[in-house]
Amino acid sequence: MTSSYSTPPVGQDVPQDDARVVDDNPVAAVPDTSGLQPVQLLVGVLGAALTVWALGNLFLAFAYYPGWFFDSKILMGLLGLVAGIGGAALLFWFINLAVEALPRRLEHGLVPYAFLLPGFSLIGLMLLYPTIQTIHYSFANASSTAYVGLQNYRDLFADAAFWSALLNNVLWIAIVPAVSVAIGVVVAVLADKLSASSEKWAKSFIFLPMAISFVAASAIWLTTVYAYQAPGRPQTGALNAIYTMFGGAPQNWLAIDTARLNSLLLMVILVWLQTGFAMVLLSSAIKGVPEDTIEAARIDGASEWQIFWKVVIPQIKATIITVFITVLILVMKVFDIIYVLTNGRDNTDVIANMFFNKLFARGQAGVASALVVVLLIAVIPILIYQVKQFREQEAMR
């Protein structure tokens, strides 16, 4: 019997890993004999560990020993940039070296996870570890040195200020995302009717507030819209200028908590900031609506209003939900606007601002941690819903 390697006929599977064909009969593949390379594995593991250690110590030195770098932020920035990029490349090189030292079949299975390991490690260090520690500290005293059980939660739920802040959060959640999305849809539809150049200019002006920080936006609105001067003095705020023009007395608008007016005025700032974001995404979705569906609706005698509600809106529903949830998550964490303009005075406080004051102004780490846990629990259902919607959108593609 003679044995030879031959090319299989068309349609027949190609033998894998040194498989042989003996007299036109395939023989079982010879298993890969490449085994573990311990020296290379050791070099890869030690190299990766030393790289992480060196990078960690370098960035800690920036914070604790700036004198080593002549107190130069420029020098530290350049070193951080070079070390960050070079260190990441070196880390992945050592990881690849260690993985290649494993047996072939094990190597192929571990390659994706090995290269995802640094990312997952950073997620664990930056997100999971602080979350677990915060939950842990929520059962400790103000200095986080002894356990007090559920006392922090009892004190929190017995505090009228907490329920006032929680009510404000509910109002922010109910109003800001809905108004932002509604205005974004209207602006997107109207801008779509303009000429190409006019549409670009209009969208640019509406999107411009997105480039402004929350602190800067708060200062702008305080000085130009909500500013208050004593009666008899010129009113520099647009709201008081208009109000006094019709015979009213100037008001300190941000101190009026009747019907939560001051909180509503604070919400206007965030709506102004987020409308451009909503407009851009929704405009893209509207342009993606097939023209033939709109033309078919017109042929059937539908009005423009009916086309908008029964043809366009159903087809951009997924984008509307995505934008709504994105703004909603932002609203649940709103802090800057309240801190800059009122710092929670006159019933304008929210959970995030209360947490800041509890922790940094009063040193109540336990109660502050409990506040964060409450906010975390409130956010989780929204995140689950967002992930579910995302998966449904992916399944439809």
Side-chain angles (χ1 to χ4, degrees):
M1 181 184 297
T2 59
S3 63
S4 62
Y5 293 97
S6 61
T7 303
V10 176
Q12 181 176 330
D13 293 339
V14 178
Q16 302 294 325
D17 294 333
D18 297 330
R20 293 177 296 135
V21 178
V22 181
D23 290 341
D24 298 327
N25 295 317
V27 179
V30 178
D32 190 355
T33 57
S34 60
L36 179 68
Q37 302 176 46
V39 176
Q40 182 177 335
L41 177 63
L42 182 63
V43 171
V45 172
L46 288 179
L50 287 173
T51 302
V52 172
W53 176 84
L55 288 174
N57 280 278
L58 175 63
F59 285 104
L60 286 174
F62 290 156
Y64 292 104
Y65 305 103
W68 292 1
F69 309 96
F70 309 103
D71 292 314
S72 172
K73 293 182 179 179
I74 295 177
L75 177 60
M76 287 188 282
L78 291 174
L79 287 175
L81 185 63
V82 172
I85 297 174
L90 189 62
L91 175 63
F92 281 110
W93 186 82
F94 278 121
I95 289 175
N96 185 64
L97 190 68
V99 172
E100 287 181 345
L102 298 172
R104 184 62 53 84
R105 290 184 178 179
L106 186 60
E107 173 194 342
H108 289 168
L110 286 180
V111 163
Y113 301 100
F115 283 95
L116 288 173
L117 180 63
F120 285 146
S121 299
L122 284 175
I123 291 174
L125 179 64
M126 300 297 179
L127 294 178
L128 297 181
Y129 174 73
T131 301
I132 294 171
Q133 280 291 72
T134 300
I135 297 172
H136 175 217
Y137 289 148
S138 71
F139 298 103
N141 59 10
S143 57
S144 302
T145 55
Y147 289 108
V148 294
L150 296 173
Q151 189 59 45
N152 290 325
Y153 292 95
R154 294 192 190 100
D155 293 343
L156 194 61
F157 293 135
D159 187 0
F162 165 74
W163 292 108
S164 176
L166 190 62
L167 175 60
N168 283 330
N169 268 101
V170 171
L171 292 175
W172 279 79
I173 290 169
I175 296 173
V176 173
V179 174
S180 298
V181 171
I183 297 177
V185 170
V186 172
V187 172
V189 171
L190 295 178
D192 195 46
K193 306 296 182 182
L194 300 174
S195 63
S197 59
S198 299
E199 181 183 2
K200 291 179 182 178
W201 280 105
K203 287 182 177 180
S204 298
F205 282 118
I206 295 170
F207 188 78
L208 188 61
M210 278 290 295
I212 304 174
S213 70
F214 283 15
V215 174
S218 301
I220 290 171
W221 278 76
L222 177 63
T223 55
T224 61
V225 180
Y226 300 145
Y228 165 76
Q229 301 292 336
R233 298 182 60 185
Q235 298 300 319
T236 57
L239 201 55
N240 269 323
I242 296 172
Y243 191 66
T244 55
M245 187 185 301
F246 292 95
Q251 303 290 328
N252 185 3
W253 298 102
L254 298 181
I256 302 174
D257 61 353
T258 304
R260 303 281 173 166
L261 176 63
N262 46 8
S263 292
L264 294 174
L265 294 176
L266 296 178
M267 295 176 199
V268 172
I269 301 174
L270 190 53
V271 170
W272 178 66
L273 289 169
Q274 293 301 307
T275 295
F277 165 74
M279 173 207 64
V280 169
L281 294 185
L282 293 169
S283 177
S284 177
I286 290 172
K287 289 182 181 300
V289 174
E291 190 66 30
D292 55 352
T293 60
I294 298 176
E295 291 300 326
R298 289 196 178 110
I299 293 173
D300 289 341
S303 65
E304 292 299 319
W305 185 253
Q306 290 173 322
I307 291 173
F308 174 72
W309 281 108
K310 296 183 179 181
V311 177
V312 175
I313 291 296
Q315 295 190 72
I316 65 170
K317 180 181 176 182
T319 305
I320 290 175
I321 292 174
T322 300
V323 174
F324 184 90
I325 293 177
T326 303
V327 178
L328 176 62
I329 293 173
L330 174 68
V331 167
M332 294 192 74
K333 302 180 294 182
V334 67
F335 162 75
D336 315 61
I337 296 172
I338 291 88
Y339 180 76
V340 171
L341 294 180
T342 64
N343 196 20
R345 295 185 303 273
D346 302 305
N347 291 324
T348 58
D349 214 355
V350 291
I351 297 296
N353 189 69
M354 178 177 280
F355 158 76
F356 181 86
N357 287 324
K358 291 281 187 185
L359 182 60
F360 295 104
R362 303 176 188 175
Q364 299 176 353
V367 177
S369 299
L371 270 169
V372 173
V373 173
V374 170
L375 186 60
L376 176 65
I377 293 173
V379 170
I380 287 175
I382 299 171
L383 294 177
I384 293 174
Y385 179 76
Q386 185 180 30
V387 171
K388 181 181 177 182
Q389 287 293 321
F390 177 77
R391 288 178 176 174
E392 290 178 356
Q393 293 175 32
E394 289 295 316
M396 293 173 62
R397 292 181 180 178

